[in-house]
Amino acid sequence: MTTRAHRSSAVADWLHGARAVLMKELRLEWRSRHAINLLLMFVLSSLLLVVFALGSDPAEPPLQAALLWIVIVFSAAVGLGRSFLAEEEQGTMLLLQVNVPGSQVLAGKLAFNVLLIASVIGVSVLAFMGLLGMQVHHGGLLVATLGLGTLGLAGATTLLGALIAKASARGPLLPVLLFPMLSPLFLSAVRATRAALGEGATWAGSASELTALVGFAGAVNTAAFLLFEYVWTD
Amino acid sequence: MNRRYTIIRNVVFAWMTLMILAAFLLNIPRINILEHTARNLYFHVPMWFTMMAAVLVSAWHSVRHLQTGSVESDIRALQSARVATLFGLLGLATGILWSKFTWYVGTDVWWNFDPRQTMAAVQLLIYGAYFVLRSSFDEPVRRGRIAAVYNLFAMVTVPFLLYILPRQQASLHPGADGNPAFDEITHPVMRFVFYPAVVGFIGLFWVLYTQRVRMARIQNRLTANPEL
């Protein structure tokens, strides 16, 4: 009985710590609204460029799926690199290291990045539907693809954000590190999105893409939790 | 230590010389379209095997570096990644030339996003990013640790391409469905040169890799001790 109670309180402690980090991120974000404004402006301005570039020709579903994911991946690469950088710049890294174990910090930051990416994706999809006339034929498939893509993208950007926060010459490092390792996610997500936008989309038709996305999200997030300690305890 | 290195190096050089002579001089069966380009089998395929071996060596030393934090394993991970990049570029170049003069003869196609080609390109891009990441650190201890984490983190994603890419596009490359890489019709003469070539190229990797490791060690000692 005692061990069981002990274990459940350990899990509760872990969740408590992770939630505290998430709440801190949300509170800071609510004060400045820096990251979300940056991301939304990035999405909207790149969408404007897409619309200008396409002119009045209606875009076909394959092109829409490709452009949607390019906008999502680029805005993630631009906007999410800051999560650990801000701690380093404000000198709050040590405070966090002393108070919260590494895995809880990663979980909190990861959850925050999931929320940010999900809002970016939501805005982009709505804007694509409004501005580019994107039509969704299989809503469930689209939501599943976008959701799994969000998890994979968040896992990759969060750990890479922690890596680049330690670099002495920063510059635009995140896209360089992110894009090569994102190719499996990108390929499967674009294909599944294209299927969901086309007519006659079924769950079975995109099963292999969804499997790949589940596997990618699982592998990346597991690797992130395993490797984070080495980045965090410096 | 140095004596053993010299002996193995000379053996590898003699071995490679014999192998290259055999590759060009021995008579091989002429197959339609392939003709004499079949001799590229002795170079292109062993280069890929060598690259894969080098990638595994690099990953292994990254793991060791995270476990022990030793400078030596960081040097080994970096130098192995460099030699892997060299062999990857050579394998890519020989593959592009080979496909240009067989599959795509008479067309303008140089690059066809064949699954294997794409995978190689992704692995090379990851190493490119790994070198860029290394160059953005001043402090060696931190550089080694962060680079090892990136090396392993990025490598986790590569096997997914094995699953995803063949579903994107059918491959002309041997080893894909219904097209065995190496079967009973492969002539014994070719096997007789091919297997030694694999051994030779891996030996060449060992020579280049240990040479670079020793040089990096000396460089480290010099930067730590400028008076030497």
Side-chain angles (χ1 to χ4, degrees):
Chain A
M1 275 311 279
T2 49
T3 52
R4 198 165 161 199
H6 190 72
R7 199 179 305 145
S8 72
S9 84
V11 170
D13 275 355
W14 191 89
L15 283 177
H16 181 75
R19 214 188 58 190
V21 175
L22 174 63
M23 291 314 288
K24 163 197 139 334
E25 293 289 322
L26 286 174
R27 225 168 267 142
L28 279 180
E29 183 56 35
W30 181 248
R31 274 182 214 154
S32 69
R33 297 185 195 87
H34 175 72
I36 195 76
N37 282 340
L38 186 93
L39 279 170
L40 292 184
M41 281 312 295
F42 187 88
V43 168
L44 291 179
S45 44
S46 48
L47 262 172
L48 211 61
L49 289 182
V50 166
V51 172
F52 288 161
L54 289 176
S56 51
D57 308 332
E60 296 295 310
L63 185 60
Q64 290 170 345
L67 288 171
L68 176 67
W69 276 98
I70 286 177
V71 168
I72 291 170
V73 165
F74 268 82
S75 42
V78 169
L80 297 180
R82 293 211 33 95
S83 49
F84 284 92
L85 210 56
E87 307 279 355
E88 196 90 359
E89 278 169 1
Q90 293 156 4
T92 46
M93 199 72 119
L94 264 180
L95 195 70
L96 213 53
Q97 279 174 341
V98 169
N99 285 309
V100 196
S103 64
Q104 298 172 18
V105 175
L106 180 65
K109 298 256 183 196
L110 189 63
F112 180 66
N113 280 350
V114 167
L115 292 179
L116 272 185
I117 297 179
S119 52
V120 164
I121 288 183
V123 171
S124 340
V125 169
L126 288 179
F128 264 72
M129 285 163 79
L131 292 173
L132 284 180
M134 186 171 86
Q135 291 191 333
V136 182
H137 282 92
H138 196 315
L141 181 58
L142 185 68
V143 171
T145 308
L146 295 173
L148 291 169
T150 306
L151 291 181
L153 200 53
T157 45
T158 312
L159 187 78
L160 292 182
L163 290 189
I164 59 168
K166 304 278 181 187
S168 30
R170 269 147 205 160
L173 255 181
L174 186 60
V176 173
L177 301 182
L178 181 67
F179 292 161
M181 61 174 293
L182 220 52
S183 45
L185 178 132
F186 196 75
L187 286 165
S188 327
V190 169
R191 265 173 75 92
T193 308
R194 194 190 303 166
L197 298 182
E199 281 173 32
T202 54
W203 287 106
S206 296
S208 80
E209 280 82 20
L210 290 177
T211 320
L213 283 173
V214 170
F216 185 87
V220 163
N221 284 300
T222 312
F225 272 95
L226 286 176
L227 292 168
F228 185 69
E229 285 296 328
Y230 297 106
V231 186
W232 185 240
T233 50
D234 204 15
Chain B
M1 185 63 205
N2 281 349
R3 203 178 147 68
R4 196 185 69 188
Y5 170 79
T6 317
I7 293 169
I8 298 181
R9 186 191 60 188
N10 292 340
V11 168
V12 167
F13 284 175
W15 184 283
M16 286 300 281
T17 311
L18 288 176
M19 177 243 127
I20 290 170
L21 285 176
F24 283 106
L25 297 180
L26 287 183
N27 201 18
I28 57 166
R30 306 290 158 76
I31 302 167
N32 195 17
I33 300 174
L34 264 182
E35 303 290 346
H36 275 297
T37 67
R39 295 182 193 276
N40 200 4
L41 174 77
Y42 306 141
F43 300 95
H44 174 67
V45 183
M47 280 168 189
W48 281 126
F49 287 177
T50 311
M51 182 207 179
M52 285 175 219
V55 166
L56 290 180
V57 170
S58 177
W60 163 249
H61 284 295
S62 284
V63 172
R64 292 292 301 156
H65 180 70
L66 287 183
Q67 282 173 347
T68 62
S70 81
V71 181
E72 175 70 19
S73 37
D74 183 40
I75 291 177
R76 283 175 181 273
L78 170 65
Q79 301 309 336
S80 186
R82 283 199 173 148
V83 183
T85 310
L86 173 70
F87 278 97
L89 288 174
L90 288 174
L92 206 55
T94 49
I96 286 174
L97 285 174
W98 202 1
S99 63
K100 177 67 190 165
F101 292 102
T102 50
W103 302 339
Y104 311 138
V105 74
T107 65
D108 280 336
V109 178
W110 285 91
W111 184 283
N112 192 28
F113 290 98
D114 188 88
R116 277 153 215 263
Q117 210 171 20
T118 312
M119 229 175 105
V122 169
Q123 181 64 55
L124 287 175
L125 280 179
I126 285 177
Y127 276 142
Y130 172 74
F131 299 139
V132 169
L133 180 66
R134 289 191 73 96
S135 68
S136 60
F137 284 88
D138 299 330
E139 195 201 332
V141 177
R142 194 176 259 198
R143 179 197 308 147
R145 177 105 60 99
I146 300 294
V149 169
Y150 180 70
N151 194 9
L152 295 172
F153 192 55
M155 202 143 7
V156 165
T157 62
V158 174
F160 281 95
L161 293 171
L162 275 178
Y163 175 78
I164 294 165
L165 288 173
R167 286 172 173 73
Q168 297 273 321
Q169 185 176 8
S171 176
L172 287 169
H173 197 286
D177 288 343
N179 188 0
F182 216 66
D183 61 15
E184 61 275 12
I185 63 162
T186 306
H187 199 270
V189 171
M190 300 202 69
R191 288 164 192 258
F192 179 69
V193 182
F194 174 74
Y195 294 126
V198 173
V199 176
F201 271 101
I202 288 180
L204 189 62
F205 160 71
W206 188 89
V207 168
L208 292 174
Y209 164 67
T210 47
Q211 198 174 43
R212 299 203 62 104
V213 167
R214 292 185 307 157
M215 183 145 112
R217 253 185 237 151
I218 294 169
Q219 257 170 0
N220 264 13
R221 211 178 305 154
L222 280 179
T223 36
N225 235 344
E227 283 107 60
L228 271 178

